[in-house]
Amino acid sequence: MPKLEEADITAGHNIKKLLELVTSVKRLSLHTINIGREALTAVYGEDIVFNQLEHLKFCIYDDVYWSKLLYRLLIASPKLRNLEFNEQLSNDGADTLVCWKRLTSVPQCLLSSLQTFKWSIYNVSVQGKDLATYILKKSCQLKIATISIGQGLDPQKKLEMETEVKLLFRGSPTCNLVFK
């Protein structure tokens, strides 16, 4: 589908086949539901590139194997300007496939084009927090980072998290941090 500019996909299986069909999009919303370990072995390789992708909305729902897919999407999207990460986990989301703290390579989009990052949180997970930290530290062109914390989170934990994020080093000196 070379002329497709926008896609909204909900998937748990056959992710590679679906993504291969939409490589020309400028806007992609990807909702993952229960990606199993077996599905991740075939997520996709370096053969898929999203040369036109500027906006990625990545939503996870009770999914503990999301990090590898998101990391591959970041690598495959050199022109990405806007990233929305919507985390709707009912548990801690203990995904250990990608350790955001230990990554040595940085996707090109973080170095040259990412300008906005939105993190919507229902229940704060360690992996989600690590991802947000990684994005803030590595994004050189980031102009605004918006963090929306769900109403169900304990007010004390919410305050602690806001304080922790505010103290983080940011790769972009002009990044404006907004909490909602």
Side-chain angles (χ1 to χ4, degrees), residues 54-124:
E54 294 179 358
H55 182 92
L56 173 62
K57 183 176 183 179
F58 189 85
C59 304
I60 56 173
Y61 303 93
D62 287 328
D63 202 335
V64 296
Y65 301 117
W66 56 268
S67 64
K68 186 175 181 182
L69 176 59
L70 179 56
Y71 184 65
R72 284 296 312 137
L73 283 167
L74 292 175
I75 289 173
S77 307
K79 295 180 182 176
L80 190 67
R81 296 169 49 101
N82 305 296
L83 173 62
E84 289 184 50
F85 177 64
N86 190 333
E87 186 177 8
Q88 302 244 348
L89 301 172
S90 60
N91 56 29
D92 184 29
D95 176 354
T96 58
L97 293 174
V98 172
C99 181
W100 300 101
K101 290 181 180 180
R102 293 194 186 120
L103 286 175
T104 54
S105 64
V106 179
Q108 181 61 37
C109 64
L110 299 186
L111 298 172
S112 63
S113 60
L114 190 70
Q115 294 181 6
T116 62
F117 173 59
K118 293 180 183 176
W119 180 29
S120 299
I121 313 154
Y122 170 75
N123 186 19
V124 180

Side-chain angles (χ1 to χ4, degrees), residues 113-163:
S113 60
L114 190 70
Q115 294 181 6
T116 62
F117 173 59
K118 293 180 183 176
W119 180 29
S120 299
I121 313 154
Y122 170 75
N123 186 19
V124 180
S125 72
V126 172
Q127 268 302 97
K129 204 158 58 168
D130 288 350
L131 167 67
T133 300
Y134 179 78
I135 298 290
L136 289 171
K137 285 183 177 181
K138 303 297 182 182
S139 297
C140 300
Q141 304 300 317
L142 200 60
K143 293 180 179 174
I144 188 163
T146 305
I147 300 172
S148 301
I149 303 171
Q151 299 296 326
L153 195 62
D154 174 45
Q156 182 61 34
K157 285 186 179 184
K158 183 177 178 179
L159 181 62
E160 288 171 10
M161 199 189 94
E162 283 183 22
T163 303

Side-chain angles (χ1 to χ4, degrees), residues 5-16:
E5 289 194 18
E6 187 169 342
D8 190 344
I9 298 172
T10 300
H13 304 287
N14 297 325
I15 292 172
K16 181 178 180 175

